Amino acid sequence: MKQSPADADWMAVAIALSQRGRPVSAPNPNVGCLIVNDGKIHGRGWTQAGGRPHAEAMALAAAGDAARGATVYASLEPCAHASPRGPCCTDALIGAGVARVVVAAQDPDPRTDGRGIARLRGAGIEVVTGVLPTEARAAMAPWWTRQTAARPYVTLKLATSLDGCIAMRDGSSRWVTGEHARAHGHLERARHQAILVGRGTLAVDDPKLDVRLPGLEARSPKRLLLTRGIAPPGWSAVGSPEAIDGIDSVLVEGGAGAASAFLAADRVDRLLLYRAPILIGGGKPALGDIGLTGLADAHGRWRLADSRLLGSDRLDVYERVREG
Amino acid sequence: MKQSPADADWMAVAIALSQRGRPVSAPNPNVGCLIVNDGKIHGRGWTQAGGRPHAEAMALAAAGDAARGATVYASLEPCAHASPRGPCCTDALIGAGVARVVVAAQDPDPRTDGRGIARLRGAGIEVVTGVLPTEARAAMAPWWTRQTAARPYVTLKLATSLDGCIAMRDGSSRWVTGEHARAHGHLERARHQAILVGRGTLAVDDPKLDVRLPGLEARSPKRLLLTRGIAPPGWSAVGSPEAIDGIDSVLVEGGAGAASAFLAADRVDRLLLYRAPILIGGGKPALGDIGLTGLADAHGRWRLADSRLLGSDRLDVYERVREG
């Protein structure tokens, strides 16, 4: 018999599957699930649009009888609370006769929060916990952030020249970055529930903020305007970075005022920095005052999470380092 | 008999050796030379401090009798002009009885410019030319630029935050980048004949501009001040980016005014961009006006030549794309 890959390898696949539910699984977490029997994958699942079916239900349906005696990899603890929208996953797993369940992250939802694991164990199923929990939480960062901190997960996008300008002094910004970087920006839009701009950007650019990628047009997110006033039709007004409610993920697209407001409020979790190999000189800076009082305070806040070339532009992705 | 590496592989070694002469070989080109016989390296040479001995002379001295019948790899065509400072390398190679000479770049010095190759061939030596010429020229870019364009090769160093600031609004700049990036900056100083700053930087920072690396303290370059006035003791005044004379390589270290003046004059050949993972917001921009009239003109001028992490900072090296 061939040696099977380690649990962490299978779990990495389940976590990759979980990404498919972003952002459409809301209000449910985007979970990924893999059913393995005899070293082979028999079922793959991820939370579907609107939150149902759950990842485990989808994977069980695919596995059929092969679920009996199988090992199930779930990026989040299977739910233990009954819902009018469907049966809970722990019962479904017990009913299918699985032998072993490997869980990445325990569900912080107080309705489950360990009860799923306990119920599986009570049914005689071996449960292994804590396999790639950090990676699993990162893959569902928007849901996790809202669930545990009651605020949305915010990504700030900046597209600048090498000297940090987002436009020429006269406001010209077409184009700073190239087509590959702009397409990547559209993909990021499709992964967010909402996009936010400031009033200046709305007035100058009249941005559509839609997703212009073949097949993903329907993914165009909700449009938020940072303003103390009222928003035009098709837009929702947001009075401050702290005032966003009922949304897991927000992409802040500009301009400098909105970006600075979110940074000053420490409400940015992830930074997308697209940088074109051009120099502008004396152009519009990416940011205004963000409340920094000393250079020492600026350090240790951002960790490089990804870096890649997009055509001749570079994308650096930074994540906010938060304690605890 | 083992198959010997291709000429390009040996030449790459000779070119790597040539880097050792930067910047101390001035006023001579920093040439690298390798002597190979029977698949083994018998001599390695690079132009020594002050320009003598030449790379070929050093390699021949190391090879001794093994030079007879050997192949010589030279990153620049061996010199053909007699000098009061020593014999010419073509005569030395002929005298040593080498069988074959592989040359990367033809010498643009009108005193040689093909005559070295012709004389070697006239003596019955096989000569192969054009092996990695672009790489060889890049390795001696300072000398080559001054030789062919009568101006120095200029590197501009910028150390910024992610939002393109070189300091906080109040001028604080200690520290933006970390110790690894700063050490790399000192290494770059050691590779330049001169360092230049503007008057503002001199007044505010009183920079020493010395090389603070163990063993390289003696490499501290000449100090230039961009000013229409007079320079203080220990400094040489330079009235404009076009007015630098008698120097192969200049490192422009700041501030924004000096950087912008060199960019506006299109006198920057290489850009060192050290970027710290911090956001400043509303700080001092890296550049002022550089004469850009439209975004389209900003594109196609800079090519990424190197990118690396230095601690938590990133260094991107860009080279100016020049036609011809």
Side-chain angles (χ1 to χ4, degrees), chain B:
Chain B
M1 198 181 105
K2 278 194 303 179
Q3 191 176 351
S4 64
D7 282 343
D9 295 326
W10 291 122
M11 186 60 83
V13 178
I15 291 169
L17 288 171
S18 79
Q19 298 274 12
R20 299 189 179 189
R22 283 176 73 169
V24 295
S25 72
N28 281 23
N30 57 300
V31 180
C33 181
L34 202 65
I35 296 180
V36 176
N37 207 338
D38 248 351
K40 281 187 194 150
I41 296 173
H42 291 275
R44 303 179 303 158
W46 56 95
T47 320
Q48 297 295 295
R52 297 275 171 174
H54 282 190
E56 298 91 327
M58 180 178 172
L60 283 171
D65 289 344
R68 188 156 306 275
T71 295
V72 177
Y73 296 86
S75 68
L76 186 69
E77 177 186 7
C79 64
H81 51 279
S83 158
R85 300 172 70 202
C88 78
C89 291
T90 47
D91 290 344
L93 291 167
I94 293 165
V98 307
R100 189 165 172 263
V101 176
V102 181
V103 172
Q106 187 165 323
D107 189 351
D109 185 326
R111 294 172 297 176
T112 293
D113 196 13
R115 276 176 225 168
I117 292 167
R119 195 185 301 184
L120 291 168
R121 283 183 175 144
I125 295 172
E126 179 192 352
V127 180
V128 177
T129 61
V131 175
L132 302 186
T134 305
E135 291 79 356
R137 283 193 294 266
M140 51 188 157
W143 177 84
W144 194 276
T145 301
R146 185 167 162 217
Q147 186 73 28
T148 60
R151 61 176 184 81
Y153 184 82
V154 176
T155 296
L156 170 62
K157 169 188 158 185
L158 297 174
T160 77
S161 59
L162 296 179
D163 54 322
C165 299
I166 56 174
M168 290 183 64
R169 189 186 301 257
D170 66 6
S172 315
S173 63
R174 297 208 173 160
W175 294 106
V176 172
T177 52
E179 58 177 332
H180 293 90
R182 299 203 302 273
H184 191 276
H186 281 264
L187 187 62
E188 282 289 334
R189 284 182 181 170
R191 285 168 57 85
H192 283 81
Q193 279 181 271
I195 305 189
L196 180 143
V197 299
R199 278 189 305 172
T201 297
L202 180 67
V204 173
D205 290 354
D206 188 19
K208 290 197 183 65
L209 301 185
D210 51 357
V211 175
R212 272 159 271 167
L213 293 174
L216 287 175
E217 298 84 352
R219 284 283 194 93
S220 295
K222 191 171 172 177
R223 300 188 296 175
L224 307 180
L225 180 67
L226 184 66
T227 178
R228 297 197 185 280
I230 57 166
W235 293 78
S236 299
V238 167
S240 76
E242 292 87 351
I244 299 174
D245 198 27
I247 288 175
D248 288 357
S249 57
V250 177
L251 179 64
V252 176
E253 289 228 11
S260 304
F262 274 79
L263 287 165
D266 198 11
R267 283 298 177 102
V268 178
D269 300 288
R270 180 166 166 263
L271 190 59
L272 294 175
L273 205 48
Y274 299 91
R275 210 149 17 201
I278 66 171
L279 295 170
I280 291 180
K284 295 216 171 198
L287 300 176
D289 185 22
I290 59 172
L292 185 68
T293 53
L295 269 182
D297 298 336
H299 288 275
R301 298 169 74 88
W302 299 97
R303 177 184 53 222
L304 186 65
D306 191 13
S307 183
R308 60 181 73 184
L309 287 172
L310 297 168
S312 60
D313 301 327
R314 176 176 288 286
L315 167 65
D316 284 329
V317 180
Y318 289 89
E319 288 172 355
R320 177 77 170 91
V321 177
R322 298 191 191 275
E323 302 308 315

Side-chain angles (χ1 to χ4, degrees), chain A residues 113-141:
Chain A
D113 196 12
R115 275 175 226 166
I117 292 167
R119 197 187 299 185
L120 291 168
R121 282 183 175 147
I125 295 172
E126 179 193 352
V127 180
V128 178
T129 61
V131 175
L132 303 186
T134 305
E135 292 78 356
R137 282 193 294 265
M140 50 188 157

Side-chain angles (χ1 to χ4, degrees), chain A residues 148-261:
Chain A
T148 61
R151 62 175 184 81
Y153 184 81
V154 176
T155 297
L156 170 62
K157 169 187 158 187
L158 296 174
T160 76
S161 59
L162 296 178
D163 53 322
C165 299
I166 57 175
M168 291 183 63
R169 190 187 300 257
D170 67 6
S172 314
S173 63
R174 293 203 175 166
W175 294 106
V176 172
T177 52
E179 57 177 333
H180 293 89
R182 299 203 301 275
H184 190 277
H186 281 266
L187 188 63
E188 282 288 336
R189 283 182 182 170
R191 286 167 56 85
H192 282 81
Q193 279 180 269
I195 306 189
L196 180 145
V197 300
R199 279 189 305 171
T201 298
L202 180 67
V204 174
D205 290 351
D206 188 19
K208 289 196 185 64
L209 300 185
D210 51 357
V211 175
R212 273 158 271 170
L213 293 174
L216 287 175
E217 297 86 352
R219 285 283 194 94
S220 295
K222 190 173 174 177
R223 301 189 294 177
L224 307 180
L225 180 67
L226 185 65
T227 177
R228 297 197 185 279
I230 57 167
W235 293 79
S236 299
V238 167
S240 76
E242 292 87 349
I244 299 173
D245 198 26
I247 288 174
D248 288 358
S249 57
V250 177
L251 179 64
V252 176
E253 289 229 10
S260 304

